[in-house]
């Protein structure tokens, strides 16, 4: 039994660490493990409490070392410049509103598509299966700890991510940032509903199956079907195209504006970002970029000719790309 507990502790520790390595905000995984430790504290299960707190502390320490390494190498904790949010308070609140509405939409992640149909479908599902006595049964259960632990975790994540996005500019407040809160809310609802008994459980279960089944059908099945009908190149076709495009670049060359797949198709190249707005404080000029990079042992400096949003980059880069002869794949600048 003790061996099994230690295995769970190791799994939780690795899960929290990998969440952080996938995305900085994933460090909340360590916090979730720590909250579980508090649950065991209230239950007076001391061994489980210690295992959870230890499993949550190790990822925090490793994440701290990771961020310090970033700071030592770049002078920035997260490895890149963080600039203030570019939205006005009204624009930010509207973005947040649209993001929340999109999370409530079971048919899409976009608040502007199928929103009314989604709300009508949910209300009809509840109306068909649920009666007042089934709603009252939700308030007759005895154990609230686990469901509300999910809700608390989701709310903590929501407050933290909204504050971070208010303080600095990065991805819009859409499903990529808000989905963890939505997942925790659904786990709260399912954990709460699963404790009702007999007929009420059958009714609520049918409601959940219909609503979540429709969400799965639209967001996975429908999107997968439409993607198969799309003329967009497949992953393998894209990789083949990137391999052919980058095949003639000398090893250790510096490349900017690269295709995202090139980073693992040609890991022998050096990739560097051109600063652009709004992710950086200013859009740097071609001259500043050339002064900033360190050619070291590079065989040359190349710009992949991209299709980018011109307002993000300095005009000197826009003119450089516009003047590229015959729209070749790369411009060698040094």
């Amino acid at each position: 039994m003790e061996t099994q507990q230690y295995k769970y502790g190791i799994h939780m520790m690795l899960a929290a660490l990998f969440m952080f390595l996938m995305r900085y905000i994933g460090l909340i995984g360590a916090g979730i493990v720590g909250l579980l430790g508090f649950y065991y504290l209230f239950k007076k299960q001391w061994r489980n409490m210690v295992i959870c707190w230890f499993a949550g502390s190790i990822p925090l320490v490793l994440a701290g070392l990771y961020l310090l390494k970033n700071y030592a190498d770049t002078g920035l904790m997260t490895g890149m410049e963080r600039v203030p949010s570019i939205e006005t308070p009204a624009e930010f609140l509207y973005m947040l509103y649209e993001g929340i509405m999109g999370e409530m939409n079971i048919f899409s992640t976009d608040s502007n598509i199928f929103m009314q149909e989604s709300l009508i479908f949910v209300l009809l599902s509840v109306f068909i299966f649920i009666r007042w006595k089934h709603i009252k049964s939700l308030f007759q259960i005895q154990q609230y700890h686990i469901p509300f632990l999910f809700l608390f975790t989701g709310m903590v994540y929501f407050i933290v991510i909204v504050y971070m996005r208010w303080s600095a500019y990065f991805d819009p407040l859409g499903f990529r940032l808000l989905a963890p809160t939505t997942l925790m809310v659904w786990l709260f609802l399912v954990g709460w509903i699963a404790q009702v008994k007999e007929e009420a459980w059958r009714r609520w279960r049918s409601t959940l199956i219909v609503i979540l089944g429709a969400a799965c059908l639209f967001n996975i099945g429908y999107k997968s079907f439409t993607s198969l009908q799309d003329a967009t190149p497949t992953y393998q076709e894209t990789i083949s195209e990137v391999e052919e495009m980058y095949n003639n670049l000398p090893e250790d060359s510096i490349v900017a504006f690269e295709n995202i797949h090139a980073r693992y198709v040609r890991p022998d190249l050096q990739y560097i970002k051109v600063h652009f707005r709004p992710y950086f404080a200013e859009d740097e000029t071609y001259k500043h970029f050339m002064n900033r990079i360190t050619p070291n042992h590079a065989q040359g400096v190349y710009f992949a000719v991209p299709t980018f949003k011109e307002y993000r980059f300095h005009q000197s880069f826009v003119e450089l790309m516009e003047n590229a002869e015959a729209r070749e794949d790369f411009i060698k600048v040094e």
Side-chain angles (χ1 to χ4, degrees):
M1 183 65 179
E2 291 183 7
T3 303
Q4 192 70 20
Q5 289 175 321
Y6 292 138
K7 286 183 178 179
Y8 285 145
I10 293 173
H11 292 163
M12 288 189 294
M13 179 185 68
L14 292 176
L17 180 61
F18 288 144
M19 286 175 65
F20 167 75
L21 293 176
M22 291 174 63
R23 198 172 178 86
Y24 289 139
I25 194 62
L27 190 58
I28 195 174
I32 295 172
V33 176
L35 288 174
L36 188 58
F38 280 104
Y39 168 76
Y40 286 123
L41 173 63
F42 298 142
K43 301 288 286 187
K44 297 183 178 180
Q45 298 181 19
W46 313 118
R47 185 184 299 276
N48 290 335
M49 177 196 74
V50 172
I51 289 174
C52 285
W53 284 354
F54 182 80
S57 298
I58 295 299
L60 287 175
V61 172
L62 294 176
L65 294 174
Y66 182 98
L67 295 175
L68 287 175
K69 180 66 164 58
N70 276 349
Y71 183 78
D73 290 344
T74 67
L76 300 164
M77 291 290 285
T78 58
M80 70 174 291
E81 186 178 14
R82 297 294 178 182
V83 298
S85 176
I86 63 172
E87 297 88 4
T88 64
E91 290 171 339
F92 182 87
L93 290 175
Y94 183 72
M95 175 179 63
L96 178 60
Y97 165 78
E98 284 202 319
I100 293 174
M101 289 297 102
E103 290 304 293
M104 295 176 62
N105 187 352
I106 66 169
F107 292 156
S108 174
T109 56
D110 190 337
S111 62
N112 298 312
I113 302 176
F114 301 136
M115 190 67 217
Q116 292 182 337
E117 293 84 348
S118 173
L119 293 176
I120 291 172
F121 183 84
V122 171
L123 291 174
L124 281 176
S125 300
V126 173
F127 179 78
I128 291 171
F129 292 105
I130 303 302
R131 301 294 179 265
W132 177 244
K133 62 180 180 179
H134 304 137
I135 296 176
K136 289 194 298 183
S137 68
L138 292 175
F139 301 94
Q140 297 170 356
I141 62 176
Q142 303 299 318
Q143 297 293 331
Y144 291 94
H145 299 90
I146 293 296
F148 277 92
L149 183 61
F150 286 125
L151 182 62
F152 178 74
T153 303
M155 292 302 99
V156 168
Y157 172 87
F158 178 81
I159 293 171
V160 170
I161 198 65
V162 170
Y163 174 76
M164 289 175 61
R165 185 56 181 79
W166 173 269
S167 304
Y169 184 86
F170 47 96
D171 295 344
L173 280 172
F175 73 96
R176 294 185 70 234
L177 295 182
L178 299 180
T181 291
T182 305
L183 175 62
M184 290 295 109
V185 171
W186 274 110
L187 289 175
F188 156 70
L189 290 174
V190 172
W192 190 10
I193 291 171
Q195 298 182 70
V196 300
K197 299 179 180 179
E198 300 173 353
E199 182 197 359
W201 163 240
R202 291 194 296 272
R203 292 284 189 143
W204 280 111
R205 180 181 60 188
S206 299
T207 306
L208 289 173
I209 289 174
V210 169
I211 294 175
L212 296 179
C216 181
L217 180 64
F218 271 82
N219 289 284
I220 298 178
Y222 177 73
K223 285 190 176 180
S224 298
F225 174 77
T226 54
S227 66
L228 291 175
Q229 311 303 312
D230 197 348
T232 303
T234 64
Y235 172 76
Q236 192 55 54
E237 290 171 341
T238 300
I239 295 302
S240 298
E241 181 180 342
V242 172
E243 288 176 340
E244 181 179 357
M245 183 183 303
Y246 283 74
N247 184 53
N248 294 324
L249 288 187
E251 184 178 348
D252 287 327
S253 296
I254 293 176
V255 181
F257 300 114
E258 76 282 355
N259 184 294
I260 58 173
H261 301 288
R263 287 180 172 264
Y264 57 87
V265 172
R266 286 292 306 273
D268 57 311
L269 300 176
Q270 304 177 63
Y271 301 99
I272 187 168
K273 289 288 185 185
V274 175
H275 293 179
F276 61 94
R277 288 184 296 174
Y279 285 92
F280 295 87
E282 59 183 18
D283 46 348
E284 68 179 342
T285 65
Y286 169 77
K287 181 178 179 180
H288 181 273
F289 173 80
M290 295 303 297
N291 290 333
R292 177 168 63 89
I293 64 175
T294 305
N296 51 63
H297 57 282
Q299 299 299 311
V301 179
Y302 294 85
F303 292 159
V305 178
T307 302
F308 53 67
K309 296 179 180 179
E310 296 179 1
Y311 70 89
R312 289 185 169 186
F313 293 92
H314 191 269
Q315 186 63 25
S316 57
F317 280 102
V318 176
E319 293 174 355
L320 179 69
M321 298 306 170
E322 288 177 346
N323 295 331
E325 295 182 2
R327 300 294 294 177
E328 65 264 29
D329 292 331
F330 295 96
I331 304 171
K332 185 175 182 180
V333 293
E334 185 173 297

